Amino acid sequence: MPENEYLVRKTFLISYPQTLAKGIFEIIEENFDEAAGLSDDVKYGYSVYKIEYNTCYKNEDVVASGLVCIPMTSGPIPLLSFQNGTNTLHKNAPSVAYTDTLFSLIEAVSSYGFIVAMPDYLGFGASENMYHPYLIKEPTVQTITDMYRAIKEMMEDHPSMSLSKDTYLMGYSQGGWATMALKKEIETNLSDEFTLRAAACGAGPYDLSLISTEILALTTYPMPYFMAYVINSYIKSGEIDLTYSDIFSPAFSGNNYISNLFDGTKSSDVINSQLTTTVSDLFTSDIISNFATGNKYSSLRTALTNNSVTAWKTASPTLIIHGLGDTFVTPMVSNNIYLDFLSEGTAVDVVTYLPIPELDHGDAVIPWGLLSLKWILTKKG
């Protein structure tokens, strides 16, 4: 057998019988109206693996990782890829926290007859010794699609089954943005490898320029770690030619203060507590006044534009969900990209925008997940 190009190793973690998978969804149905009927379509038990695989970042070879769930069935099996939301803790990577409640629920989706992929992202799991290139489009897409290629090689050890070209995508917050970026890449450049059947995106920061402009215009912003994470990522990656002191006020810009917050040991709540929600205290007065037009910030504006995801004429079913009470990622970005899809010529029955009244960013996660899963199941062949 030839040596694998992508798959480095797989590690079996746990298996679940069909009865337990059905029980997981029955419990969810008891607590959430949106879950009604989900237990009815559970067909298989499934096994959960951690995989490590080859990819690259900035022309350097990297071993990345993620979770793979394989249903106990046979034949060609479609792929469902779940991109998780913003995470700052190494211990919360999917391949590490595979018994986490949310990840366990996503794993159980394999019981419907999907090979489920959950990428760790660079900077987590097997690659936790490097920084996480947060909201940088090219390495996000590259490392996730390389994971799909590793899964295809993994399935060669399972002669009764194979990975189908049919691909389904789900993701919320950072994962919503990653899902939209993956959708565009698969449709425009990788359609010979993958056949995209449906993508469900929740509360993604698709337009990073708009979001940054909105934040800088606010008096207070409840999630200061978000922009700190973006800037830390863009400085470390060389996406921008600015320093921390060009962007953050002196209280937060010296002695690697920002960089040390993102060492993988601190939660978003802890990081927020070590920053400030007052925008004028977090950022320099210069960037607040001159971000939009100042030459000094041109590299930042370019990076935010380059790493945003813009609409195109898509032909695969797309569901966009956003809580209208979201104070973290403005719902405007979802409404805008929906309208942009239509203006690009996308048929009205192909793309759907579903705003959820009142719910804030965190409160909308479970409703988004359940609505998205039910929608994806209607698209499954």
Side-chain angles (χ1 to χ4, degrees):
M1 180 178 295
E3 183 177 350
N4 291 324
E5 181 179 356
Y6 296 98
L7 183 65
V8 175
R9 66 181 57 86
K10 65 176 183 180
T11 304
F12 170 77
L13 298 175
I14 194 169
S15 284
Y16 296 93
Q18 183 266 355
T19 51
L20 186 55
K22 188 175 182 68
I24 290 172
F25 287 106
E26 287 173 343
I27 292 171
I28 297 295
E29 286 171 334
E30 291 173 2
N31 291 279
F32 297 94
D33 293 340
E34 298 93 338
L38 278 176
S39 65
D40 296 341
D41 295 322
V42 170
K43 296 179 180 178
Y44 312 107
Y46 56 95
S47 297
V48 182
Y49 296 83
K50 174 182 178 178
I51 69 165
E52 296 170 56
Y53 62 96
N54 295 316
T55 187
C56 63
Y57 177 54
K58 300 179 78 69
N59 297 316
E60 296 287 337
D61 293 336
V62 179
V63 174
S65 57
L67 280 184
V68 180
C69 308
I70 301 177
M72 297 174 185
T73 183
S74 59
I77 304 172
L79 176 73
L80 185 144
S81 182
F82 174 80
Q83 288 64 242
N84 65 270
T86 301
N87 171 39
T88 61
L89 285 165
H90 289 156
K91 68 180 183 180
N92 283 352
S95 72
V96 179
Y98 62 92
T99 58
D100 171 84
T101 301
L102 175 60
F103 293 152
S104 294
L105 176 60
I106 301 300
E107 291 161 18
V109 173
S110 188
S111 65
Y112 295 109
F114 293 101
I115 293 175
V116 173
M118 282 191 269
D120 283 336
Y121 299 139
L122 289 180
F124 296 97
S127 61
E128 70 174 28
N129 289 329
M130 65 173 283
Y131 67 92
H132 172 45
Y134 182 59
L135 295 180
I136 302 181
K137 194 160 53 179
E138 189 279 331
T140 300
V141 169
Q142 180 69 57
T143 56
I144 295 175
T145 53
D146 282 347
M147 182 178 178
Y148 303 164
R149 297 173 181 116
I151 294 171
K152 184 176 181 180
E153 293 177 348
M154 175 184 176
M155 298 312 296
E156 293 174 2
D157 292 335
H158 298 261
S160 66
M161 62 182 73
S162 61
L163 180 66
S164 165
K165 289 179 65 174
D166 288 351
T167 304
Y168 300 79
L169 304 173
M170 288 180 65
Y172 189 85
S173 190
Q174 177 187 4
W177 166 89
T179 293
M180 193 69 80
L182 283 162
K183 171 181 166 64
K184 189 169 189 177
E185 180 69 9
I186 288 171
E187 285 194 13
T188 57
N189 295 314
L190 301 176
S191 59
D192 57 331
E193 279 191 86
F194 311 103
T195 302
L196 189 61
R197 295 301 185 189
C201 308
Y206 315 113
D207 188 341
L208 293 167
S209 299
L210 173 61
I211 290 170
S212 300
T213 300
E214 291 277 311
I215 291 171
L216 289 170
L218 294 171
T219 301
T220 60
Y221 178 61
M223 296 291 177
Y225 90 101
F226 170 71
M227 282 303 295
Y229 210 175
V230 171
I231 298 303
N232 185 62
S233 166
Y234 286 14
I235 288 176
K236 286 183 173 294
S237 65
E239 290 276 308
I240 60 177
D241 57 10
L242 296 163
T243 66
Y244 296 100
S245 60
D246 289 326
I247 297 170
F248 297 103
S249 64
F252 306 106
S253 60
N255 298 319
N256 296 314
Y257 188 89
I258 296 292
S259 180
N260 288 338
L261 294 177
F262 298 98
D263 63 359
T265 69
K266 302 174 184 67
S267 69
S268 58
D269 288 342
V270 169
I271 296 171
N272 280 333
S273 73
Q274 296 184 35
L275 295 170
T276 176
T277 58
T278 303
V279 171
S280 61
D281 290 340
L282 181 61
F283 299 103
T284 66
S285 58
D286 189 56
I287 193 171
I288 292 173
S289 300
N290 299 310
F291 167 70
T293 57
N295 288 336
K296 181 175 182 179
Y297 305 105
S298 61
S299 68
L300 178 55
R301 293 194 300 272
T302 297
L304 292 168
T305 298
N306 290 344
N307 290 298
S308 295
V309 188
T310 55
W312 68 102
K313 185 178 179 180
T314 180
S316 63
T318 307
L319 177 64
I320 302 168
I321 295 178
H322 211 126
L324 293 182
D326 197 328
T327 57
F328 183 176
V329 177
T330 173
M332 191 185 309
V333 294
S334 288
N335 184 66
N336 287 356
I337 199 168
Y338 166 70
L339 295 175
D340 289 346
F341 271 122
L342 297 181
S343 68
E344 289 291 329
T346 301
V348 293
D349 60 346
V350 169
V351 60
T352 302
Y353 175 44
L354 180 61
I356 304 179
E358 300 180 356
L359 293 188
D360 202 347
H361 196 77
D363 298 330
V365 175
I366 296 299
W368 160 81
L370 297 174
L371 291 167
S372 295
L373 177 56
K374 294 182 79 171
W375 177 80
I376 279 178
L377 290 174
T378 68
K379 308 301 179 185
K380 186 175 183 288

